[in-house]
Amino acid sequence: MSSTAIGVSLSVSSRIRRGGGGELDVERVLVTASPTTLKLNQTRRVVAGRFLRMKKRFHGTVAITKAEVDDGEEKRTSRNMRVGLICGGPSAERGISLNSVRSVLDHIQGNGISVSCYYIDPNLNAYAISSAQVYSNTPADFDFKLESLAQAFASLSELAEHLVSAVDIVFPVIHGRFGEDGGIQQELLESHNIPFVGTGSVDCRRAFDKYEASLALKEHGFMSVPNYLVQFTQGTEVDESEIAQWFTDNQLDLEVGKVVVKPANSGSSIGVKVAFGVKDSIKKATELILEGIDKRVVVEAFIENAYEFTAIVLDVCSASDCHPVVLLPSEVELKFHGSGDTKENAIFDYRRKYLPTQQVTYHTPPRFPIHVIKSIREEASLLFKKLSLRDFARFDGWYLTPTSNLASYASQTLTRSGDIIFTDINLISGMEQTSLFFQQASKVGFSHSNILRTIIYRASSRYPKLSWYNYDESSQGSTTMETPGDVQKVFVLFGGDTSERQVSVISGTNIWMNLQRFGDLKVTPCLLSSSLSNSMGPFPDKTESDLDNREVWLLPYSVVLRHTVEEVLAACMEAIDPDRARFTSLLQQQVKEEIMDALKNQSWFAGFDITDEVPMRFSLKDWVKLAKESEAIVFLSAHGGIGEDGTMQALLEDEEVPYTGSGVHASRICMDKAMASKALSHLSEFGVQTISNEVKRTDDIIHESIPAIWDELITKFKCLTLCVKPARDGCSTGVARLCSSEDLAVYVQALRDCLPRIQANSFSKTHGMIEMPNPTPELLIFEPFIETDEVIVSSKSSEKLSWKGSRRWVEITVGVIGKHGSMRSLSPSLTVKESGDILSLEEKFQGGTGINLTPPPTTIMRFVYTLRKEALERCKRGIELIAKTLGLEGFSRIDAFVHVETGDGTNKDVMQVMAIEVNTVPGMTPSTVLIQQVTLFVIHPTALAEQPPMYPPQFFRTLLNLAAQRVK
């Protein structure tokens, strides 16, 4: 079979037209005077060929002819290197794999590199996917659509045969099993002599298995954590006497000895548990087997009184030689903020690695003595060579203090270093935008694009058949095209002090990274914080009366790459501390000199493109004046609080500074949920409904009888289940389903105790973790809980997508974009809740969590199935009416309930749309559903091929241009 990947091969222009099908004509909202073009690929002729093939595929033609492939490939400019990105895989880390491949795609495409994307599902079925699918939140967002939206391969061998002719080199971005254990390297790449980035299969296998890796460490003279491979005799039976003997040999108490139980073949702390004593260890090892996480389980001593670190190793040699250089390591500091975790059970687990949390802080470089950092770098470099690793890797380990429980063990073992111990070897490190991989690279002068290209070019030098590639022409730069003329300054503002501030950091970082790819823009990331006196502690509420205490930091590249506001602020304080700055500068210089010495003669090394500047601090009002003096456009990405309630908008308007999003009046209305509901209450005849509500003062509720309040509310609404939320706060903050007065009592107690979050399953009905507003809101809004039907997505069932229920209400979320009075609706997404009845902040915005189906599948949405174009347009008209009534402009997100059996039959002229809430500064994270809506083909089939996706750089540039055209 002949097939082709759906690759990225287009030019991103500031003048993009999307016509037909009722969709937004973007050109009408762009600044026509801006001729800037950002080239993601140099070849325009491939564009037509690719979209022609897409048109045939999406209209039922699955097989792609050899002639069609040749038509695009033969005309490809010789200087383009064709890189194949492979993501997904069978492990629990496949969501993180999607995050990583999205980041890699964003930062390598263009300037001599063409990218094609491939996906391996949990059953090892292979597909060529559109790059638009990479912007999905999780693989579950599109798993069920693969057969219709992707090019399937009959086997891995057929994919390999395709790759031989379709790409020059493969970059595997599969974390865990099949990606780091040597599976894809052996079965797919080495067997077909396909060049690839990373370590070979044999060395992957030994380094990935935690038990085998520990044996390899000892073999090469390195210290390893005392461990035991649990032997299951029959099924899940364990010889208790053997593990008890191991406890005794390592001076661990048989009843309460503290250990870590982990799968031998799983990465990123998946399934890692803390156990106490022999019986608990066996219990938790058995659980891992029964959960199907792994067939091999390791028990190892819990390390105490030590400092955790992680280090990226970069091979800077060429051809088959190896010269590893370790970048600046990062110290991993676990913190505890009343989250339910304690020092007794806290570990650097999956959640702390990949989700924004105040429970972990990174320090790059570590706050260790300089001789310890030197030792870490030397040991990691040597270990990289001893294990025969290639291109790059990440090592996790510990610096043992003299009081560590392993200090005596270290002194008794004949190892190279008695105070450094390596525990985990990661062969394909996580590469999401703010990952440790990019943090450490930026600290020594590498941008995202530069470090990734350096790795790809270094890997290519290993293969003589890639010697044709002209590195000199393509390596000097990434995806930015310099343009003559004036440069427009842009300030991207994110952060703040609301419960959504961590999402805001991800959003702002994403916007900044995409906009800085335009050569005619100078984009500065800006962090909104409270005053210095409060910046390192809990965030108090700030209103207009104390705006004088607010601060904004202008951030350099390396400081932005953090997971939380608190981390960014800590990095700012470290950067302006003279002693810490000198310490960091000394280490930076050492690393850069090592890299330059090794790469100075390599034509593929572009040099360093990031300077480690010092962050600058301004009062909020001085920052607004700076924006005015700089003639900057402000891109607002501070969710909730003063960033979304009209306060910031008013400050900017007073100084005539253009900004993105809705104006003062619309922002104020939409932030107040009760006010927004009232503003829409007259639209029922047009099919737009609102939910009845009751607003109560929090202080009154805290001091009144909870059963009496509950009885009053359920009597008024004539229902048994309520939804409670802050009346004036952002998306998903403090939103909970209450099924009894006892549930209300739990919620009120959390407010009384000022808890940062309510732990999962604290109420009578199953739910996920609920982020609570900080500080306690003045007003709460209660409303009847709208029961929606259950949409189930399963990768294990033959029926991957199913519907349960007869209420016929579903929840959608949709973006609206355009000018004031003429906002246009994108195609809605059907929201699927993974943990209870309320979408969490993570499920809405964090990559690797939550499921969104874009567009709503025909097998689920009856109105889409029966009258696809007409009914969908009615739904979108209802959304547009909401936007117009509220006075929205720029871009906003609307959440609503839709009744799927309206807009059909006798009631076909009216689609029932029930507004939930409107966010005027919506999340813009790389995986938010709104990015999916603008990147996916989201219109009816007859116009499908006429509407190429709008990728994030175009999208954010469009919003910027709308801001520039703002009409007062």
Side-chain angles (χ1 to χ4, degrees), residues 63-81:
I64 307 298
T65 67
K66 181 68 164 61
E68 287 175 313
V69 175
D70 291 342
D71 178 63
E73 303 304 328
E74 292 301 319
K75 295 178 181 179
R76 186 185 303 275
T77 306
S78 61
R79 64 190 293 270
N80 275 9
M81 176 179 287

Side-chain angles (χ1 to χ4, degrees), residues 593-809:
E593 286 177 0
E594 291 177 32
I595 294 173
M596 285 301 299
D597 286 345
L599 295 180
K600 60 187 176 184
N601 296 321
Q602 301 298 336
S603 61
W604 45 265
F605 180 53
F608 301 111
D609 56 347
I610 297 296
T611 56
D612 200 33
E613 300 170 344
V614 178
M616 299 176 65
R617 181 170 54 190
F618 296 84
S619 70
L620 174 56
K621 292 184 177 180
D622 285 344
W623 175 80
V624 172
K625 290 178 181 177
L626 176 66
K628 180 179 181 179
E629 293 168 0
S630 304
E631 298 183 343
I633 300 174
V634 173
F635 202 122
L636 290 176
S637 185
H639 308 316
I642 68 168
E644 196 168 356
D645 67 2
T647 302
M648 187 65 65
Q649 290 80 357
L651 284 174
L652 294 170
E653 284 194 11
D654 286 346
E655 295 292 339
E656 299 183 338
V657 177
Y659 59 89
T660 57
S662 295
V664 176
H665 183 66
S667 297
R668 287 175 178 166
I669 289 178
C670 294
M671 177 58 80
D672 188 315
K673 297 178 176 65
M675 190 181 297
S677 177
K678 184 177 180 181
L680 300 173
S681 60
H682 65 288
L683 299 179
S684 57
E685 64 179 297
F686 302 104
V688 175
Q689 302 177 24
T690 58
I691 306 172
S692 301
N693 62 69
E694 175 80 11
V695 179
K696 287 186 172 291
R697 292 181 58 83
T698 304
D699 191 57
D700 293 342
I701 296 175
I702 289 176
H703 294 96
E704 291 180 9
S705 166
I706 298 298
I709 293 173
W710 179 260
D711 290 341
E712 173 196 339
L713 290 170
I714 62 174
T715 300
K716 174 179 179 177
F717 294 129
K718 299 179 180 179
C719 67
L720 298 177
T721 307
L722 302 176
C723 180
V724 61
K725 63 185 78 169
R728 298 169 184 160
D729 212 318
C731 186
S732 294
T733 301
V735 182
R737 178 181 185 179
L738 307 177
C739 299
S740 64
S741 62
E742 290 77 15
D743 287 350
L744 177 57
V746 171
Y747 189 89
V748 171
Q749 190 62 46
L751 293 173
R752 184 183 290 117
D753 295 340
C754 298
L755 294 182
R757 59 193 63 86
I758 296 176
Q759 295 300 315
N761 302 324
S762 297
F763 298 137
S764 56
K765 187 172 176 61
T766 302
H767 65 90
M769 183 182 294
I770 299 171
E771 294 288 338
M772 295 299 285
N774 179 25
T776 302
E778 179 184 358
L779 300 173
L780 293 174
I781 187 169
F782 293 87
E783 55 193 30
F785 185 84
I786 304 299
E787 297 276 359
T788 58
D789 288 346
E790 187 176 9
V791 179
I792 301 172
V793 178
S794 173
S795 59
K796 297 179 182 179
S797 170
S798 58
E799 187 178 2
K800 293 186 177 181
L801 195 64
S802 59
W803 173 298
K804 287 188 177 181
S806 57
R807 302 177 186 91
R808 318 316 287 168
W809 284 101

Side-chain angles (χ1 to χ4, degrees), residues 415-652:
T415 58
R416 293 176 44 81
S417 176
D419 56 1
I420 301 300
I421 184 168
F422 295 106
T423 55
D424 284 289
I425 300 165
N426 300 273
L427 302 170
I428 303 177
S429 175
M431 289 176 279
E432 64 275 15
Q433 280 187 345
T434 57
S435 65
L436 287 166
F437 175 81
F438 291 121
Q439 283 185 35
Q440 294 184 20
S442 67
K443 268 294 183 184
V444 296
F446 285 104
S447 67
H448 287 59
S449 177
N450 196 2
I451 187 69
L452 290 170
R453 284 169 175 262
T454 296
I455 289 171
I456 292 171
Y457 296 153
R458 188 271 168 269
S460 300
S461 72
R462 225 176 8 254
Y463 302 96
K465 66 180 183 178
L466 294 180
S467 60
W468 57 267
Y469 188 69
N470 189 344
Y471 299 106
D472 290 329
E473 291 185 14
S474 63
S475 63
Q476 302 302 317
S478 53
T479 58
T480 302
M481 181 177 178
E482 295 297 331
T483 54
D486 295 335
V487 173
Q488 171 65 59
K489 293 182 179 180
V490 180
F491 289 175
V492 179
L493 184 69
F494 53 89
D497 52 18
T498 71
S499 55
E500 296 180 82
R501 63 188 182 278
Q502 318 307 10
V503 173
S504 175
V505 170
I506 305 173
S507 294
T509 302
N510 188 43
I511 294 165
W512 161 65
M513 299 211 76
N514 277 281
L515 287 179
Q516 70 174 350
R517 298 169 67 184
F518 291 94
D520 66 333
L521 299 179
K522 179 176 176 55
V523 189
T524 303
C526 305
L527 180 79
L528 173 66
S529 74
S530 57
S531 64
L532 178 60
S533 60
N534 296 314
S535 62
M536 303 311 291
F539 282 82
D541 187 29
K542 296 292 176 184
T543 58
E544 283 193 73
S545 62
D546 50 28
L547 291 178
D548 290 338
N549 293 325
R550 295 281 187 158
E551 294 180 338
V552 176
W553 291 78
L554 270 57
L555 306 175
Y557 195 110
S558 64
V559 172
V560 183
L561 305 181
R562 300 294 189 276
H563 296 88
T564 68
V565 168
E566 291 75 16
E567 273 192 75
V568 177
L569 284 171
C572 287
M573 300 309 295
E574 284 192 354
I576 63 175
D577 177 77
D579 293 337
R580 179 69 175 169
R582 280 193 295 270
F583 181 77
T584 301
S585 179
L586 175 64
L587 292 170
Q588 286 172 326
Q589 195 59 35
Q590 291 175 359
V591 176
K592 293 173 91 168
E593 286 177 0
E594 291 177 32
I595 294 173
M596 285 301 299
D597 286 345
L599 295 180
K600 60 187 176 184
N601 296 321
Q602 301 298 336
S603 61
W604 45 265
F605 180 53
F608 301 111
D609 56 347
I610 297 296
T611 56
D612 200 33
E613 300 170 344
V614 178
M616 299 176 65
R617 181 170 54 190
F618 296 84
S619 70
L620 174 56
K621 292 184 177 180
D622 285 344
W623 175 80
V624 172
K625 290 178 181 177
L626 176 66
K628 180 179 181 179
E629 293 168 0
S630 304
E631 298 183 343
I633 300 174
V634 173
F635 202 122
L636 290 176
S637 185
H639 308 316
I642 68 168
E644 196 168 356
D645 67 2
T647 302
M648 187 65 65
Q649 290 80 357
L651 284 174
L652 294 170

Side-chain angles (χ1 to χ4, degrees), residues 388-408:
S388 301
L389 307 186
R390 300 194 314 214
D391 300 334
F392 74 107
R394 192 189 84 223
F395 294 160
D396 299 336
W398 295 81
Y399 159 47
L400 306 179
T401 66
T403 59
S404 170
N405 62 321
L406 293 188
S408 59

Side-chain angles (χ1 to χ4, degrees), residues 145-164:
K145 296 185 288 187
L146 284 169
E147 293 181 2
S148 61
L149 289 185
Q151 178 67 49
F153 296 94
S155 64
L156 290 176
S157 294
E158 186 175 74
L159 169 61
E161 291 169 4
H162 161 80
L163 293 172
V164 168

